[in-house]
Amino acid sequence: MSTEANNESTATSGPGQQLIAVAQVGDQLDEASLASLRTFLNDQLDALNEELEKATAQDVIEAILAVQDRLAAKATALTGLSILLQAGEAKISAEHIKSAVDAAQRVIDKVKSVKAKLAKIGAVIDFAAAVLTGNGKTIVEGAQTLKEALK
């Protein structure tokens, strides 16, 4: 997560990590800020159709369908929405979200195992759930959890 060079207060997201501006009353993630995450979720939903066509084991088919349901639910939740950020928490920006999505995409593109891919996509879905809270601390923790899951 990047720093913001302005007169607003800043907070750290952990030892040795960069500073993040603190959200003020009225700060929000608008629909454009959420576009990269929503697009990623929809793209993964579509990409899993190919995996579904190749799947022969019932447990894999069920796992793919379950992840697709979760992807669709989060993508829908992010549609036409602005998320009010909690004042006093980390001020998450479109750049923060895009950075997380881009990192996830780079890793997922390299994963060959369907089950491993589903686990990594699941971590992005969990990150999307954190974003929907509008709570900066929860979103930062979600980003850290996503980062670990992408290793």
Side-chain angles (χ1 to χ4, degrees):
M1 307 247 166
S2 64
T3 58
E4 302 238 352
N6 58 27
N7 293 330
E8 294 179 355
S9 301
T10 56
T12 60
S13 57
Q17 294 188 351
Q18 294 180 335
L19 298 178
I20 299 175
V22 174
Q24 305 300 310
V25 174
D27 285 342
Q28 64 182 338
L29 292 168
D30 61 12
E31 188 174 0
S33 300
L34 300 168
S36 64
L37 182 56
R38 188 179 57 256
T39 299
F40 174 87
L41 297 172
N42 283 321
D43 289 349
Q44 292 306 309
L45 177 65
D46 291 340
L48 286 175
N49 286 330
E50 183 179 324
E51 298 291 347
L52 190 57
E53 289 175 12
K54 294 188 286 185
T56 56
Q58 189 61 36
D59 65 325
V60 173
I61 292 168
E62 289 172 2
I64 293 169
L65 291 172
V67 169
Q68 284 184 311
D69 285 346
R70 291 180 66 210
L71 284 164
K74 289 299 180 264
T76 299
L78 290 167
T79 302
L81 178 71
S82 290
I83 298 171
L84 192 61
L85 296 173
Q86 288 185 354
E89 293 288 339
K91 183 178 180 180
I92 306 303
S93 68
E95 292 78 23
H96 294 133
I97 293 172
K98 184 167 179 6
S99 176
V101 167
D102 290 347
Q105 188 67 62
R106 284 190 300 273
V107 170
I108 291 169
D109 285 346
K110 295 176 186 174
V111 174
K112 300 298 180 207
S113 161
V114 176
K115 289 184 179 183
K117 187 177 288 192
L118 292 175
K120 300 208 183 293
I121 292 170
V124 180
I125 295 169
D126 292 344
F127 173 69
V131 169
L132 284 165
T133 69
N135 181 302
K137 181 179 179 189
T138 301
I139 298 169
V140 170
E141 288 170 354
Q144 291 169 336
T145 300
L146 174 60
K147 184 177 178 179
E148 287 299 314
L150 294 174
K151 287 184 179 177

